[in-house]
Amino acid sequence: ESIGHMDSDDSDEPSLLRFMCAELTRGYFLEHNGAKYTERRERVYTCMRIPRELERLMIFGIFLCLDAFLYVFTLLPLRTLLAFLRLLTIPCCGLGGSRFLQPAQVCDLLKGLIMVLCYSMMHYVDYAMMYHLIRGQSVIKLYIIYNMLEVADRLFSSFGQDILDALYWTATEPKSRKRAHIGVIPHFFMAVFYVFLHAILIMVQASTLNVAFNSHNKSLLTIMMSNNFVEIKGSVFKKFEKNNLFQMSNSDIKERFTNYVLLLIVCLRNMEQFSWNTDHLLVLLPDVVMVITSEVMVDVVKHAFITKFNDITADVYSEYKASLAFELVSSRQQNAYTDYSDSVARRMGFIPLPLAVLVRRYFHLFSYSGYYCTYLFGFILLNSIVILGKSCRYVKEANMEGKLFKRQTAQTSKQTPKKSSSETPQSTELKHRATNKDLLEIDRFTICGNRIG
């Protein structure tokens, strides 16, 4: 018995052979924690869906920006002409109402006048001198300049629409209210000065990009492209809510559309220098494709990891698209409170006036034959109709049709307010402040604050 007991003790002692046998035959069951692994699998599927959903949002947003941009060259001149004719016929036809011009007509006249003045001022800016001045700088200086221009462009875009909105409201504010502004003329000169400076800023950006394309070594272009990947480091490790992601998506749409326009300017300027030789276009095409591809890759990776780290589903991009569509449809209503191009500027930070002044300065639009204007006008109408139809479908799919009627009813009730006799001045002031706060939130997040919050 003692001998058997000693044999059993020896078999229970740890040994290398027993350890290897245990490791080779050890098992485990994933279903014991199935919820965790299911969540991980859904995260993988979400990352796989991000490129498709994000690019759908990007394409829709880019066409919205394109519609607002082409509006400046086609419909805005016609609306400005009609408003000007209305202004000329007032002494003959009489007032017929309390206003000389409707608020929308006043805004159209102001926009047209700003475009004419800024375009005239841009003739005094020498593009060739600016190009050679930038080309003479070192690569490191140009890289720093390009980064500073990107920051300045974002600051100009964020504050520029406030300057324009202040001008529009100052010019159309009801006269019965107490004057609390510095006057229409100072606001107008501020707006002209802003559009002119922003147009010069975009011109310097285009010149820097042109230098990068025309340099013998592509080191500057490579450095500028690597700057896009810095966005990944600065974004993916931050906490994002749905509203913050919506703002970043709109900023990415604006940035991508602006880059496309700048690339188009660079290509056309180079083609013009080489007498529209298609062989030179084939030389530029690989660099253009490389820049666009890097931009798309950075956006996809950035959004994929942001949604992963913050547990946001890919369906949120459909909600963002529905919010943009809702804003477009609501701006076409009878009681709309803003023009469509201005709503795009507030939402995405894309202000079409400076870019339109620059494009008009680079390429003498409307100096060609009438066929060019006809084709452009037909394209903007077709684009507007298609975008509006898509927007109506997205609003219907998101079940947001009822909010259109609610919004219209709310605007009607605001036009005929009823003031209670029991309200004190202090309570009225508090309500006024609360209303202003709500308007600011709606202006910042549109319907997204109610739809997604």
Short mmCIF file of all heavy atoms in Angstrom, two decimals, residues 332-389:
data_model
loop_
_atom_site.label_atom_id
_atom_site.label_comp_id
_atom_site.label_asym_id
_atom_site.label_seq_id
_atom_site.Cartn_x
_atom_site.Cartn_y
_atom_site.Cartn_z
N ARG A 332 -36.85 75.82 -49.22
CA ARG A 332 -37.68 76.03 -50.40
C ARG A 332 -39.13 76.34 -50.04
O ARG A 332 -39.95 76.56 -50.92
CB ARG A 332 -37.66 74.78 -51.29
CG ARG A 332 -36.30 74.47 -51.90
CD ARG A 332 -35.90 75.53 -52.91
NE ARG A 332 -34.86 75.07 -53.82
CZ ARG A 332 -33.56 75.17 -53.61
NH1 ARG A 332 -33.13 75.69 -52.48
NH2 ARG A 332 -32.68 74.76 -54.50
N GLN A 333 -39.46 76.36 -48.75
CA GLN A 333 -40.83 76.64 -48.34
C GLN A 333 -41.15 78.13 -48.47
O GLN A 333 -40.26 78.98 -48.57
CB GLN A 333 -41.06 76.18 -46.90
CG GLN A 333 -41.16 74.67 -46.74
CD GLN A 333 -41.53 74.28 -45.33
OE1 GLN A 333 -41.01 74.84 -44.37
NE2 GLN A 333 -42.43 73.33 -45.20
N GLN A 334 -42.43 78.42 -48.41
CA GLN A 334 -42.87 79.80 -48.58
C GLN A 334 -42.42 80.68 -47.41
O GLN A 334 -42.07 81.84 -47.59
CB GLN A 334 -44.40 79.85 -48.71
CG GLN A 334 -44.93 81.25 -48.99
CD GLN A 334 -46.44 81.24 -49.19
OE1 GLN A 334 -47.07 80.20 -49.07
NE2 GLN A 334 -47.00 82.40 -49.48
N ASN A 335 -42.43 80.12 -46.21
CA ASN A 335 -42.07 80.88 -45.02
C ASN A 335 -40.64 80.59 -44.58
O ASN A 335 -40.33 80.61 -43.39
CB ASN A 335 -43.03 80.55 -43.87
CG ASN A 335 -44.44 81.03 -44.14
OD1 ASN A 335 -44.62 82.05 -44.79
ND2 ASN A 335 -45.43 80.29 -43.68
N ALA A 336 -39.74 80.32 -45.53
CA ALA A 336 -38.35 80.06 -45.18
C ALA A 336 -37.72 81.32 -44.60
O ALA A 336 -38.04 82.45 -45.01
CB ALA A 336 -37.58 79.61 -46.42
N TYR A 337 -36.82 81.14 -43.65
CA TYR A 337 -36.19 82.28 -42.99
C TYR A 337 -34.80 82.59 -43.54
O TYR A 337 -34.13 83.51 -43.06
CB TYR A 337 -36.09 82.02 -41.48
CG TYR A 337 -35.26 80.82 -41.10
CD1 TYR A 337 -33.88 80.92 -40.95
CD2 TYR A 337 -35.86 79.58 -40.89
CE1 TYR A 337 -33.11 79.83 -40.61
CE2 TYR A 337 -35.09 78.47 -40.55
CZ TYR A 337 -33.74 78.61 -40.41
OH TYR A 337 -32.98 77.51 -40.09
N THR A 338 -34.33 81.85 -44.53
CA THR A 338 -33.02 82.10 -45.09
C THR A 338 -32.94 81.55 -46.50
O THR A 338 -33.76 80.71 -46.90
CB THR A 338 -31.92 81.44 -44.22
OG1 THR A 338 -30.63 81.77 -44.75
CG2 THR A 338 -32.07 79.93 -44.21
N ASP A 339 -31.96 82.06 -47.23
CA ASP A 339 -31.71 81.54 -48.57
C ASP A 339 -30.96 80.21 -48.46
O ASP A 339 -30.24 79.95 -47.49
CB ASP A 339 -30.89 82.56 -49.36
CG ASP A 339 -30.75 82.15 -50.81
OD1 ASP A 339 -31.70 81.57 -51.36
OD2 ASP A 339 -29.69 82.39 -51.40
N TYR A 340 -31.11 79.39 -49.49
CA TYR A 340 -30.49 78.07 -49.45
C TYR A 340 -28.97 78.16 -49.39
O TYR A 340 -28.32 77.44 -48.61
CB TYR A 340 -30.92 77.27 -50.67
CG TYR A 340 -30.04 76.09 -50.95
CD1 TYR A 340 -29.97 75.03 -50.04
CD2 TYR A 340 -29.24 76.03 -52.08
CE1 TYR A 340 -29.15 73.96 -50.27
CE2 TYR A 340 -28.42 74.96 -52.32
CZ TYR A 340 -28.37 73.93 -51.41
OH TYR A 340 -27.54 72.87 -51.64
N SER A 341 -28.37 79.04 -50.19
CA SER A 341 -26.92 79.16 -50.19
C SER A 341 -26.39 79.60 -48.84
O SER A 341 -25.32 79.17 -48.40
CB SER A 341 -26.47 80.14 -51.28
OG SER A 341 -27.01 81.42 -51.06
N ASP A 342 -27.14 80.46 -48.14
CA ASP A 342 -26.72 80.89 -46.80
C ASP A 342 -26.84 79.77 -45.79
O ASP A 342 -26.02 79.66 -44.87
CB ASP A 342 -27.56 82.09 -46.36
CG ASP A 342 -27.31 83.31 -47.22
OD1 ASP A 342 -26.17 83.48 -47.70
OD2 ASP A 342 -28.26 84.10 -47.42
N SER A 343 -27.86 78.92 -45.93
CA SER A 343 -28.00 77.80 -45.00
C SER A 343 -26.87 76.80 -45.17
O SER A 343 -26.37 76.22 -44.20
CB SER A 343 -29.35 77.10 -45.21
OG SER A 343 -29.42 76.49 -46.49
N VAL A 344 -26.42 76.59 -46.42
CA VAL A 344 -25.27 75.72 -46.65
C VAL A 344 -24.01 76.33 -46.03
O VAL A 344 -23.18 75.63 -45.45
CB VAL A 344 -25.07 75.49 -48.17
CG1 VAL A 344 -23.77 74.76 -48.44
CG2 VAL A 344 -26.24 74.70 -48.73
N ALA A 345 -23.89 77.66 -46.13
CA ALA A 345 -22.72 78.32 -45.55
C ALA A 345 -22.71 78.17 -44.03
O ALA A 345 -21.66 77.93 -43.42
CB ALA A 345 -22.72 79.80 -45.93
N ARG A 346 -23.87 78.29 -43.40
CA ARG A 346 -23.91 78.15 -41.95
C ARG A 346 -23.68 76.71 -41.53
O ARG A 346 -23.07 76.45 -40.49
CB ARG A 346 -25.26 78.62 -41.42
CG ARG A 346 -25.56 80.08 -41.67
CD ARG A 346 -26.83 80.52 -40.98
NE ARG A 346 -27.25 81.83 -41.45
CZ ARG A 346 -28.15 82.04 -42.38
NH1 ARG A 346 -28.75 81.00 -42.94
NH2 ARG A 346 -28.48 83.25 -42.75
N ARG A 347 -24.18 75.78 -42.29
CA ARG A 347 -24.08 74.39 -41.89
C ARG A 347 -22.67 73.83 -42.11
O ARG A 347 -22.10 73.18 -41.23
CB ARG A 347 -25.10 73.57 -42.70
CG ARG A 347 -24.95 72.08 -42.62
CD ARG A 347 -25.09 71.52 -41.22
NE ARG A 347 -26.23 72.06 -40.55
CZ ARG A 347 -26.18 72.52 -39.29
NH1 ARG A 347 -25.06 72.51 -38.62
NH2 ARG A 347 -27.27 72.98 -38.72
N MET A 348 -22.09 74.07 -43.26
CA MET A 348 -20.81 73.45 -43.61
C MET A 348 -19.62 74.39 -43.52
O MET A 348 -18.49 73.96 -43.70
CB MET A 348 -20.88 72.87 -45.03
CG MET A 348 -21.97 71.83 -45.20
SD MET A 348 -22.00 71.19 -46.87
CE MET A 348 -23.42 70.09 -46.76
N GLY A 349 -19.87 75.67 -43.29
CA GLY A 349 -18.77 76.61 -43.29
C GLY A 349 -18.28 76.96 -44.67
O GLY A 349 -17.20 77.55 -44.82
N PHE A 350 -19.05 76.59 -45.69
CA PHE A 350 -18.66 76.90 -47.07
C PHE A 350 -19.38 78.16 -47.52
O PHE A 350 -20.60 78.18 -47.66
CB PHE A 350 -19.01 75.74 -48.00
CG PHE A 350 -18.86 76.08 -49.46
CD1 PHE A 350 -17.60 76.31 -49.99
CD2 PHE A 350 -19.96 76.17 -50.29
CE1 PHE A 350 -17.45 76.64 -51.33
CE2 PHE A 350 -19.83 76.49 -51.62
CZ PHE A 350 -18.56 76.72 -52.14
N ILE A 351 -18.62 79.23 -47.71
CA ILE A 351 -19.18 80.51 -48.15
C ILE A 351 -18.83 80.67 -49.63
O ILE A 351 -17.64 80.80 -49.98
CB ILE A 351 -18.62 81.68 -47.31
CG1 ILE A 351 -18.86 81.39 -45.83
CG2 ILE A 351 -19.24 82.99 -47.72
CD1 ILE A 351 -18.27 82.42 -44.90
N PRO A 352 -19.81 80.65 -50.50
CA PRO A 352 -19.50 80.61 -51.95
C PRO A 352 -19.01 81.92 -52.52
O PRO A 352 -18.37 81.91 -53.58
CB PRO A 352 -20.83 80.19 -52.57
CG PRO A 352 -21.88 80.59 -51.59
CD PRO A 352 -21.25 80.49 -50.24
N LEU A 353 -19.27 83.06 -51.88
CA LEU A 353 -18.93 84.34 -52.48
C LEU A 353 -17.42 84.52 -52.71
O LEU A 353 -17.00 84.89 -53.82
CB LEU A 353 -19.49 85.49 -51.63
CG LEU A 353 -21.01 85.64 -51.59
CD1 LEU A 353 -21.41 86.84 -50.76
CD2 LEU A 353 -21.58 85.76 -52.99
N PRO A 354 -16.54 84.29 -51.71
CA PRO A 354 -15.10 84.48 -51.99
C PRO A 354 -14.57 83.53 -53.07
O PRO A 354 -13.79 83.96 -53.94
CB PRO A 354 -14.45 84.19 -50.63
CG PRO A 354 -15.52 84.40 -49.62
CD PRO A 354 -16.78 83.98 -50.30
N LEU A 355 -14.99 82.28 -53.02
CA LEU A 355 -14.53 81.33 -54.02
C LEU A 355 -15.05 81.69 -55.40
O LEU A 355 -14.35 81.54 -56.41
CB LEU A 355 -14.96 79.92 -53.63
CG LEU A 355 -14.37 78.77 -54.44
CD1 LEU A 355 -12.86 78.76 -54.35
CD2 LEU A 355 -14.93 77.44 -53.96
N ALA A 356 -16.28 82.19 -55.46
CA ALA A 356 -16.85 82.60 -56.75
C ALA A 356 -16.10 83.81 -57.30
O ALA A 356 -15.86 83.90 -58.51
CB ALA A 356 -18.33 82.92 -56.59
N VAL A 357 -15.72 84.75 -56.44
CA VAL A 357 -14.93 85.91 -56.89
C VAL A 357 -13.60 85.46 -57.45
O VAL A 357 -13.15 85.95 -58.50
CB VAL A 357 -14.73 86.90 -55.71
CG1 VAL A 357 -13.71 87.97 -56.08
CG2 VAL A 357 -16.06 87.55 -55.34
N LEU A 358 -12.96 84.49 -56.79
CA LEU A 358 -11.67 84.00 -57.27
C LEU A 358 -11.80 83.28 -58.61
O LEU A 358 -11.00 83.53 -59.53
CB LEU A 358 -11.07 83.06 -56.23
CG LEU A 358 -9.72 82.44 -56.59
CD1 LEU A 358 -8.66 83.51 -56.73
CD2 LEU A 358 -9.31 81.41 -55.56
N VAL A 359 -12.79 82.42 -58.73
CA VAL A 359 -12.98 81.69 -59.99
C VAL A 359 -13.33 82.66 -61.11
O VAL A 359 -12.84 82.53 -62.25
CB VAL A 359 -14.08 80.62 -59.81
CG1 VAL A 359 -14.44 79.98 -61.15
CG2 VAL A 359 -13.61 79.54 -58.84
N ARG A 360 -14.14 83.65 -60.79
CA ARG A 360 -14.48 84.67 -61.79
C ARG A 360 -13.25 85.48 -62.20
O ARG A 360 -13.12 85.91 -63.36
CB ARG A 360 -15.56 85.60 -61.21
CG ARG A 360 -16.05 86.69 -62.16
CD ARG A 360 -16.85 86.09 -63.30
NE ARG A 360 -17.39 87.12 -64.16
CZ ARG A 360 -16.71 87.69 -65.15
NH1 ARG A 360 -15.48 87.31 -65.42
NH2 ARG A 360 -17.27 88.61 -65.91
N ARG A 361 -12.34 85.66 -61.27
CA ARG A 361 -11.10 86.40 -61.57
C ARG A 361 -10.15 85.55 -62.42
O ARG A 361 -9.50 86.05 -63.34
CB ARG A 361 -10.42 86.79 -60.26
CG ARG A 361 -9.00 87.35 -60.40
CD ARG A 361 -9.00 88.69 -61.11
NE ARG A 361 -7.65 89.22 -61.19
CZ ARG A 361 -6.76 88.91 -62.12
NH1 ARG A 361 -7.09 88.04 -63.09
NH2 ARG A 361 -5.55 89.46 -62.13
N TYR A 362 -10.05 84.27 -62.10
CA TYR A 362 -9.15 83.39 -62.84
C TYR A 362 -9.64 83.17 -64.27
O TYR A 362 -8.89 83.28 -65.23
CB TYR A 362 -9.03 82.05 -62.14
CG TYR A 362 -7.93 81.98 -61.12
CD1 TYR A 362 -8.14 81.38 -59.89
CD2 TYR A 362 -6.68 82.49 -61.39
CE1 TYR A 362 -7.13 81.30 -58.95
CE2 TYR A 362 -5.66 82.43 -60.46
CZ TYR A 362 -5.89 81.83 -59.25
OH TYR A 362 -4.89 81.76 -58.33
N PHE A 363 -10.90 82.83 -64.38
CA PHE A 363 -11.47 82.47 -65.69
C PHE A 363 -12.59 83.45 -65.99
O PHE A 363 -13.53 83.58 -65.22
CB PHE A 363 -12.01 81.04 -65.67
CG PHE A 363 -11.04 80.07 -65.07
CD1 PHE A 363 -11.27 79.54 -63.82
CD2 PHE A 363 -9.90 79.71 -65.75
CE1 PHE A 363 -10.38 78.66 -63.26
CE2 PHE A 363 -9.00 78.83 -65.20
CZ PHE A 363 -9.24 78.30 -63.94
N HIS A 364 -12.49 84.12 -67.09
CA HIS A 364 -13.45 85.16 -67.43
C HIS A 364 -14.75 84.52 -67.90
O HIS A 364 -15.05 84.42 -69.09
CB HIS A 364 -12.88 86.08 -68.51
CG HIS A 364 -11.64 86.80 -68.06
ND1 HIS A 364 -11.66 87.86 -67.18
CD2 HIS A 364 -10.33 86.56 -68.36
CE1 HIS A 364 -10.42 88.27 -66.95
NE2 HIS A 364 -9.59 87.50 -67.66
N LEU A 365 -15.52 84.08 -66.92
CA LEU A 365 -16.82 83.50 -67.24
C LEU A 365 -17.71 84.56 -67.86
O LEU A 365 -17.58 85.76 -67.58
CB LEU A 365 -17.47 82.94 -65.97
CG LEU A 365 -16.65 81.87 -65.23
CD1 LEU A 365 -17.38 81.49 -63.95
CD2 LEU A 365 -16.45 80.65 -66.09
N PHE A 366 -18.62 84.12 -68.66
CA PHE A 366 -19.57 84.98 -69.35
C PHE A 366 -18.90 85.88 -70.40
O PHE A 366 -19.56 86.72 -70.99
CB PHE A 366 -20.38 85.85 -68.37
CG PHE A 366 -21.03 85.06 -67.29
CD1 PHE A 366 -20.65 85.23 -65.99
CD2 PHE A 366 -22.01 84.14 -67.58
CE1 PHE A 366 -21.24 84.50 -64.98
CE2 PHE A 366 -22.60 83.40 -66.58
CZ PHE A 366 -22.21 83.59 -65.28
N SER A 367 -17.59 85.74 -70.57
CA SER A 367 -16.94 86.45 -71.67
C SER A 367 -16.88 85.59 -72.92
O SER A 367 -16.43 86.03 -73.96
CB SER A 367 -15.52 86.88 -71.26
OG SER A 367 -14.72 85.75 -70.99
N TYR A 368 -17.31 84.33 -72.78
CA TYR A 368 -17.34 83.44 -73.93
C TYR A 368 -18.70 83.58 -74.64
O TYR A 368 -19.45 84.49 -74.39
CB TYR A 368 -17.11 82.00 -73.49
CG TYR A 368 -15.78 81.80 -72.81
CD1 TYR A 368 -15.69 81.75 -71.42
CD2 TYR A 368 -14.63 81.67 -73.56
CE1 TYR A 368 -14.46 81.59 -70.80
CE2 TYR A 368 -13.39 81.50 -72.95
CZ TYR A 368 -13.32 81.46 -71.58
OH TYR A 368 -12.11 81.29 -70.96
N SER A 369 -18.99 82.65 -75.47
CA SER A 369 -20.23 82.72 -76.25
C SER A 369 -21.43 82.43 -75.36
O SER A 369 -21.32 81.97 -74.23
CB SER A 369 -20.17 81.72 -77.40
OG SER A 369 -20.06 80.41 -76.90
N GLY A 370 -22.60 82.71 -75.90
CA GLY A 370 -23.81 82.49 -75.14
C GLY A 370 -24.11 81.02 -74.89
O GLY A 370 -24.87 80.69 -73.98
N TYR A 371 -23.51 80.12 -75.69
CA TYR A 371 -23.73 78.70 -75.47
C TYR A 371 -23.18 78.26 -74.11
O TYR A 371 -23.76 77.40 -73.45
CB TYR A 371 -23.07 77.88 -76.59
CG TYR A 371 -23.71 78.08 -77.94
CD1 TYR A 371 -23.11 78.88 -78.91
CD2 TYR A 371 -24.93 77.46 -78.24
CE1 TYR A 371 -23.70 79.06 -80.14
CE2 TYR A 371 -25.52 77.64 -79.48
CZ TYR A 371 -24.91 78.44 -80.42
OH TYR A 371 -25.49 78.62 -81.65
N TYR A 372 -22.06 78.85 -73.71
CA TYR A 372 -21.46 78.49 -72.42
C TYR A 372 -22.43 78.82 -71.28
O TYR A 372 -22.65 78.01 -70.39
CB TYR A 372 -20.15 79.24 -72.24
CG TYR A 372 -19.45 78.94 -70.94
CD1 TYR A 372 -18.65 77.82 -70.80
CD2 TYR A 372 -19.61 79.78 -69.84
CE1 TYR A 372 -18.01 77.54 -69.61
CE2 TYR A 372 -18.99 79.51 -68.66
CZ TYR A 372 -18.19 78.39 -68.54
OH TYR A 372 -17.58 78.12 -67.35
N CYS A 373 -22.98 80.03 -71.32
CA CYS A 373 -23.94 80.42 -70.28
C CYS A 373 -25.18 79.54 -70.30
O CYS A 373 -25.72 79.19 -69.25
CB CYS A 373 -24.32 81.89 -70.46
SG CYS A 373 -22.94 83.04 -70.40
N THR A 374 -25.62 79.17 -71.50
CA THR A 374 -26.80 78.31 -71.60
C THR A 374 -26.55 76.94 -71.00
O THR A 374 -27.37 76.41 -70.24
CB THR A 374 -27.21 78.17 -73.08
OG1 THR A 374 -27.42 79.47 -73.64
CG2 THR A 374 -28.48 77.35 -73.20
N TYR A 375 -25.40 76.36 -71.31
CA TYR A 375 -25.06 75.05 -70.75
C TYR A 375 -24.92 75.11 -69.24
O TYR A 375 -25.37 74.22 -68.52
CB TYR A 375 -23.76 74.53 -71.38
CG TYR A 375 -23.90 74.18 -72.84
CD1 TYR A 375 -22.81 74.30 -73.70
CD2 TYR A 375 -25.11 73.73 -73.36
CE1 TYR A 375 -22.92 73.97 -75.04
CE2 TYR A 375 -25.22 73.40 -74.69
CZ TYR A 375 -24.14 73.53 -75.53
OH TYR A 375 -24.27 73.21 -76.86
N LEU A 376 -24.27 76.16 -68.75
CA LEU A 376 -24.09 76.29 -67.30
C LEU A 376 -25.43 76.48 -66.60
O LEU A 376 -25.69 75.89 -65.55
CB LEU A 376 -23.16 77.47 -67.00
CG LEU A 376 -22.79 77.69 -65.54
CD1 LEU A 376 -22.03 76.48 -65.00
CD2 LEU A 376 -21.95 78.95 -65.37
N PHE A 377 -26.29 77.29 -67.18
CA PHE A 377 -27.61 77.51 -66.58
C PHE A 377 -28.43 76.22 -66.60
O PHE A 377 -29.12 75.91 -65.63
CB PHE A 377 -28.34 78.61 -67.35
CG PHE A 377 -29.60 79.07 -66.69
CD1 PHE A 377 -29.56 79.91 -65.59
CD2 PHE A 377 -30.85 78.66 -67.15
CE1 PHE A 377 -30.73 80.33 -64.98
CE2 PHE A 377 -32.00 79.07 -66.54
CZ PHE A 377 -31.95 79.92 -65.45
N GLY A 378 -28.34 75.47 -67.70
CA GLY A 378 -29.05 74.20 -67.74
C GLY A 378 -28.53 73.20 -66.73
O GLY A 378 -29.30 72.46 -66.10
N PHE A 379 -27.21 73.20 -66.53
CA PHE A 379 -26.63 72.27 -65.56
C PHE A 379 -27.06 72.61 -64.14
O PHE A 379 -27.37 71.72 -63.36
CB PHE A 379 -25.11 72.30 -65.68
CG PHE A 379 -24.42 71.42 -64.67
CD1 PHE A 379 -24.40 70.05 -64.83
CD2 PHE A 379 -23.81 71.97 -63.54
CE1 PHE A 379 -23.78 69.23 -63.90
CE2 PHE A 379 -23.18 71.17 -62.61
CZ PHE A 379 -23.17 69.80 -62.79
N ILE A 380 -27.08 73.90 -63.78
CA ILE A 380 -27.46 74.28 -62.42
C ILE A 380 -28.93 73.96 -62.17
O ILE A 380 -29.31 73.52 -61.09
CB ILE A 380 -27.17 75.77 -62.17
CG1 ILE A 380 -27.50 76.15 -60.72
CG2 ILE A 380 -27.92 76.66 -63.10
CD1 ILE A 380 -26.71 75.47 -59.68
N LEU A 381 -29.77 74.14 -63.19
CA LEU A 381 -31.18 73.79 -63.02
C LEU A 381 -31.34 72.28 -62.84
O LEU A 381 -32.09 71.82 -61.97
CB LEU A 381 -31.98 74.27 -64.22
CG LEU A 381 -32.25 75.77 -64.31
CD1 LEU A 381 -33.08 76.08 -65.55
CD2 LEU A 381 -32.99 76.27 -63.07
N LEU A 382 -30.64 71.50 -63.66
CA LEU A 382 -30.72 70.05 -63.55
C LEU A 382 -30.19 69.58 -62.20
O LEU A 382 -30.80 68.72 -61.53
CB LEU A 382 -29.94 69.40 -64.69
CG LEU A 382 -29.93 67.87 -64.72
CD1 LEU A 382 -31.35 67.34 -64.88
CD2 LEU A 382 -29.02 67.37 -65.84
N ASN A 383 -29.06 70.15 -61.77
CA ASN A 383 -28.49 69.77 -60.49
C ASN A 383 -29.42 70.13 -59.34
O ASN A 383 -29.61 69.35 -58.40
CB ASN A 383 -27.13 70.46 -60.31
CG ASN A 383 -26.44 70.03 -59.03
OD1 ASN A 383 -26.21 68.86 -58.80
ND2 ASN A 383 -26.11 70.99 -58.19
N SER A 384 -30.05 71.31 -59.40
CA SER A 384 -30.97 71.73 -58.34
C SER A 384 -32.19 70.83 -58.27
O SER A 384 -32.64 70.46 -57.18
CB SER A 384 -31.40 73.19 -58.57
OG SER A 384 -30.29 74.05 -58.53
N ILE A 385 -32.71 70.46 -59.44
CA ILE A 385 -33.91 69.61 -59.46
C ILE A 385 -33.59 68.22 -58.91
O ILE A 385 -34.34 67.66 -58.10
CB ILE A 385 -34.46 69.53 -60.90
CG1 ILE A 385 -35.00 70.90 -61.33
CG2 ILE A 385 -35.57 68.48 -60.99
CD1 ILE A 385 -35.40 70.96 -62.79
N VAL A 386 -32.44 67.66 -59.33
CA VAL A 386 -32.07 66.32 -58.87
C VAL A 386 -31.80 66.33 -57.37
O VAL A 386 -32.25 65.44 -56.63
CB VAL A 386 -30.84 65.82 -59.65
CG1 VAL A 386 -30.32 64.51 -59.05
CG2 VAL A 386 -31.20 65.61 -61.12
N ILE A 387 -31.07 67.34 -56.89
CA ILE A 387 -30.75 67.43 -55.45
C ILE A 387 -32.02 67.62 -54.64
O ILE A 387 -32.19 67.01 -53.56
CB ILE A 387 -29.76 68.57 -55.21
CG1 ILE A 387 -28.38 68.20 -55.75
CG2 ILE A 387 -29.65 68.89 -53.73
CD1 ILE A 387 -27.73 67.04 -55.03
N LEU A 388 -32.95 68.45 -55.13
CA LEU A 388 -34.20 68.65 -54.40
C LEU A 388 -35.02 67.37 -54.36
O LEU A 388 -35.63 67.04 -53.33
CB LEU A 388 -35.00 69.79 -55.06
CG LEU A 388 -36.30 70.19 -54.36
CD1 LEU A 388 -36.02 70.65 -52.93
CD2 LEU A 388 -37.00 71.29 -55.15
N GLY A 389 -35.06 66.64 -55.48
CA GLY A 389 -35.79 65.37 -55.49
C GLY A 389 -35.17 64.35 -54.54
O GLY A 389 -35.89 63.66 -53.80
#
